[in-house]
């Protein structure tokens, strides 16, 4: 700040000195007439220059101007070398698209398992000859157990109706003479039993009843599915991390090459008194554009892939009970995608710049 | 600072080259334009602000360098062999330019091998030999 004031002060002196040429001292008279026009101009400038440059509003304005200029000139540089830019952006976009592709696949799978999460229900399929009254009796018996939260009996008729409604095989069922479906008792244990052994014991004891043909604990396959999901999610995170690091290195290297190409410019700017922040700025914006544009391209890649997958997936889901809809990247996820890719690129550029600019000293 | 090899940005116009120190110092648009023109005017290149350094002669390029050095009104200018790549006539012109700046209060320190040119100036001369001051 102080040095600016000093400069501005000196500037006035200089301009004043110029202005004095209007009433020249003999020593500089000869020169002055040659530069008559100049003198008039300088005279006007004299008083104004004191204000400009020192004014805070002006400085902020100039600072913003500088940022805007760097923002757009760095974009211009990318456009000036379209082939290189497209290559770099494509590589980055594929890396980012892979990571976000994993994310969206895991999110879709989670949607499948999500509504099953809390269920540790045991289904008892009764033998065909067991009557409804017997079934109800058994259900009442089971209810006595303090570990049981809820017992529901699904009669043959109810089961048939449900099956007709959900499976789409209603007509085929009508062709059958008798109802092939067994009575089912659904037993929901209390949540305290969620972990392991006690639940296992309950399951075993229920299975022992003479009326029970076959018992199924939903828990197990859900657990399997959930642990599979855990593996997928962790794998996704690991791969995303790796790809993120790749993005970091790719932008870092691209910016390093650009810095190398513009070495003369950087050296001259340093000689003329530029700070590292000033020199870094256009390169950081360059990194930002690389990341941002790659993010946009990655979004398109992911969306196109999802669109290609949508039809077969919806068809598949229609074959079951149709509650599954393919998830696309929503607004906040799209924003996060762009923000993360831009951030990683700027970070990569920054790391390289702060290292390289220290190395780069004018001779 | 003024350099023997001018150190201009070849892919920028004369205007941009001269404006660089002001841009770095954070001056506003209008202020920059005004000062750059004033500065170019002083070195006699006002009509060439849109040209690229490559299209200028050596003497003109050096004057761009000088315009850049004075544009933010330094109290002192260091010139490292400013005439090293110029013929005697252009060198004399550059020296005259320096003299003009000196007359408005700028201290100018010129490093040079061109002893005849320096003696013509009739100013204080410091002679260095391997970094030792041997005559003043």
């Amino acid at each position: 700040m102080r040095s600016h004031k000093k400069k501005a002060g000196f500037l006035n002196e200089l301009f004043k000195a110029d202005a004095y040429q209007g009433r020249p001292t003999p020593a500089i008279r000869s020169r002055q007439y040659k530069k008559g026009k100049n003198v008039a101009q300088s005279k006007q400038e004299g008083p104004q220059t004191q204000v400009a440059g020192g004014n805070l509003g002006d400085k902020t304005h100039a600072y913003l101007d500088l940022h805007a200029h760097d923002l757009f000139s760095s974009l211009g540089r990318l456009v000036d070398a379209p082939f290189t830019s497209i290559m770099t952006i494509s590589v980055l976009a594929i890396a980012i698209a892979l990571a976000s592709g994993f994310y969206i696949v895991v999110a879709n799978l989670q949607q499948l398992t999500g509504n099953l999460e809390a269920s540790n229900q045991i289904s008892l399929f009764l033998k065909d000859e067991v009557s409804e009254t017997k079934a109800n009796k058994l259900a009442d018996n089971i209810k006595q157990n303090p570990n049981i939260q809820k017992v529901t009996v699904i009669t043959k008729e109810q089961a048939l109706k449900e099956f007709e409604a959900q499976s789409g095989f209603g007509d085929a069922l009508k062709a059958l003479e008798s109802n092939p479906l067994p009575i089912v008792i659904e037993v929901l244990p209390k949540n305290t039993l969620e972990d392991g052994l006690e639940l296992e014991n309950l399951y075993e004891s229920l299975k022992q009843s003479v009326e029970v043909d076959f018992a199924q604990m939903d828990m197990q396959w859900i657990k399997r599915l959930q642990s599979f999901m855990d593996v997928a999610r962790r794998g996704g995170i690991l791969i995303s991390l790796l790809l993120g690091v790749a993005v970091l290195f790719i932008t870092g290297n691209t910016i390093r090459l650009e810095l190398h190409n513009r070495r003369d410019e950087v050296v001259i700017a340093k000689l003329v008194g530029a700070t590292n922040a000033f020199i870094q700025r256009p390169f950081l914006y360059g990194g930002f554009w690389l990341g941002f544009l790659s993010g946009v391209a990655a979004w398109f890649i992911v969306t196109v892939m999802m669109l290609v997958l949508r039809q077969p997936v919806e068809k598949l889901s229609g074959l079951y009970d149709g509650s599954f809809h393919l998830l696309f990247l929503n607004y906040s996820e799209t924003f996060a995608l762009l923000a993360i890719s831009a951030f990683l690129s700027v970070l990569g550029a920054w790391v390289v710049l702060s290292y390289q600019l220290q190395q780069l000293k004018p001779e | 600072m003024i350099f023997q090899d001018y150190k201009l940005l070849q892919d920028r116009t004369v205007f941009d080259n001269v404006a660089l120190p002001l841009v770095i110092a954070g001056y506003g648009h209008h202020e920059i334009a005004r000062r750059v023109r004033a500065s170019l005017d002083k070195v006699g290149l006002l009509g060439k602000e849109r040209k690229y350094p490559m299209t200028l002669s050596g003497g003109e390029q050096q004057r761009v360098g000088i315009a850049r050095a004075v544009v933010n009104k330094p109290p002192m200018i260091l010139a490292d062999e400013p005439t090293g790549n110029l013929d005697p006539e252009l060198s004399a012109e550059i020296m005259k330019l320096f003299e003009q700046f000196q007359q408005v209060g700028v201290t100018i320190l010129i490093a040079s091998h061109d002893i005849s040119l320096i003696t013509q100036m009739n100013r204080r001369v410091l002679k260095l030999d391997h970094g030792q001051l041997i005559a003043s």
Side-chain angles (χ1 to χ4, degrees), chain A residues 10-11 14 18 28 265, chain B residues 7 12 42 73 103-104:
Chain A
F10 174 74
L11 165 87
L14 194 59
D18 273 347
I28 52 175
E265 192 183 329
Chain B
K7 295 223 186 284
R12 305 287 179 86
K42 283 198 193 96
K73 310 298 167 195
Q103 279 171 0
V104 292

Side-chain angles (χ1 to χ4, degrees), chain A residues 11 59 65 69 77 94 138 246 347:
Chain A
L11 165 87
K59 287 228 150 178
D65 269 2
H69 175 264
R77 273 174 199 282
I94 288 169
L138 177 65
L347 186 67

Side-chain angles (χ1 to χ4, degrees), chain A residues 38-88:
Chain A
N38 183 15
V39 172
Q41 232 178 22
S42 303
K43 251 187 196 169
Q44 283 179 343
E45 280 162 3
Q48 286 167 355
T49 40
Q50 193 171 20
V51 185
N55 183 324
L56 188 68
D58 264 12
K59 287 228 150 178
T60 324
H61 194 71
Y63 185 71
L64 293 178
D65 269 2
L66 207 58
H67 271 272
H69 175 264
D70 285 344
L71 179 66
F72 290 112
S73 69
S74 55
L75 180 61
R77 273 174 199 282
L78 286 181
V79 176
D80 279 346
F83 188 69
T84 324
S85 307
I86 288 173
M87 296 257 279
T88 313

Side-chain angles (χ1 to χ4, degrees), chain A residues 4 10-11 14 17-18 28 31 35 38 41 45 48-49 52-53 62 65-66 77 265 268 271-274 278, chain B residues 7-9 12 21 23-29 31 34-35 38 41-42 68 72-74 100 103-104 106:
Chain A
H4 275 309
F10 174 74
L11 165 87
L14 194 59
D18 273 347
I28 52 175
R31 174 167 65 97
K35 306 183 95 190
N38 183 15
Q41 232 178 22
E45 280 162 3
Q48 286 167 355
T49 40
D65 269 2
L66 207 58
R77 273 174 199 282
E265 192 183 329
I268 288 172
L271 284 174
V272 178
F278 179 87
Chain B
K7 295 223 186 284
L8 302 176
L9 295 171
R12 305 287 179 86
V23 174
I24 289 168
Y27 286 95
H29 265 327
E31 181 67 13
R34 197 164 51 210
R35 286 207 192 185
D41 194 7
K42 283 198 193 96
R68 184 181 61 189
N72 57 354
K73 310 298 167 195
Q100 287 169 18
Q103 279 171 0
V104 292
V106 185

Side-chain angles (χ1 to χ4, degrees), chain A residues 132-195:
Chain A
E132 244 173 73
T133 39
K134 268 194 172 172
N136 281 327
K137 222 179 196 176
L138 177 65
D140 286 340
N141 261 341
I142 295 171
K143 241 181 249 177
Q144 303 302 313
N145 189 328
N147 285 331
I148 303 296
Q149 193 183 342
K150 196 179 152 200
V151 179
T152 326
V153 179
I154 301 172
T155 63
K156 291 186 176 196
E157 286 74 30
Q158 284 170 338
L160 188 65
K161 267 184 202 157
E162 200 176 311
F163 191 66
E164 270 177 359
Q166 286 194 359
S167 69
F169 289 125
D171 290 340
L173 285 172
K174 275 176 197 153
L176 294 172
E177 282 171 22
S178 65
N179 185 351
L181 297 173
I183 298 174
V184 179
I185 300 179
E186 284 181 348
V187 180
L188 189 66
K190 285 194 173 144
N191 285 338
T192 46
L193 290 186
E194 248 179 43
D195 50 345

